[in-house]
């Protein structure tokens, strides 16, 4: 049965895991989101008094 021959499938398995382990993580960690909230200056709006009639 040719599907039980591990020589081509094992090489494909190792090569794909090498790509996932060494090529993909640096690309993912180098990604910057365009609207990341860390880069923005957060200003709190002035507080408004709640002078509503509650009765």
């Amino acid at each position: 049965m040719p599907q039980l021959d591990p020589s081509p499938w094992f090489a494909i398995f190792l090569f794909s895991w090498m790509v996932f382990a060494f090529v993909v993580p640096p690309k993912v960690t180098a990604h910057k989101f365009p609207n990341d909230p860390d880069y923005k200056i957060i200003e709190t709006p002035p507080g408004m008094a709640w002078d509503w009639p509650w009765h």
Side-chain angles (χ1 to χ4, degrees):
M1 294 199 288
Q3 66 267 28
L4 296 179
D5 184 18
S7 60
W9 302 111
F10 190 67
I12 293 170
F13 172 75
L14 282 181
F15 181 71
S16 63
W17 273 106
M18 290 293 181
V19 168
F20 286 132
F22 297 113
V23 176
V24 174
K27 289 180 178 273
V28 172
T29 57
H31 180 72
K32 298 285 185 198
F33 291 102
N35 55 355
D36 194 7
D38 292 339
Y39 298 119
K40 294 182 181 176
I41 298 172
I42 299 173
E43 296 179 6
T44 57
M48 301 292 288
W50 284 43
D51 54 357
W52 299 347
W54 290 102
H55 51 343

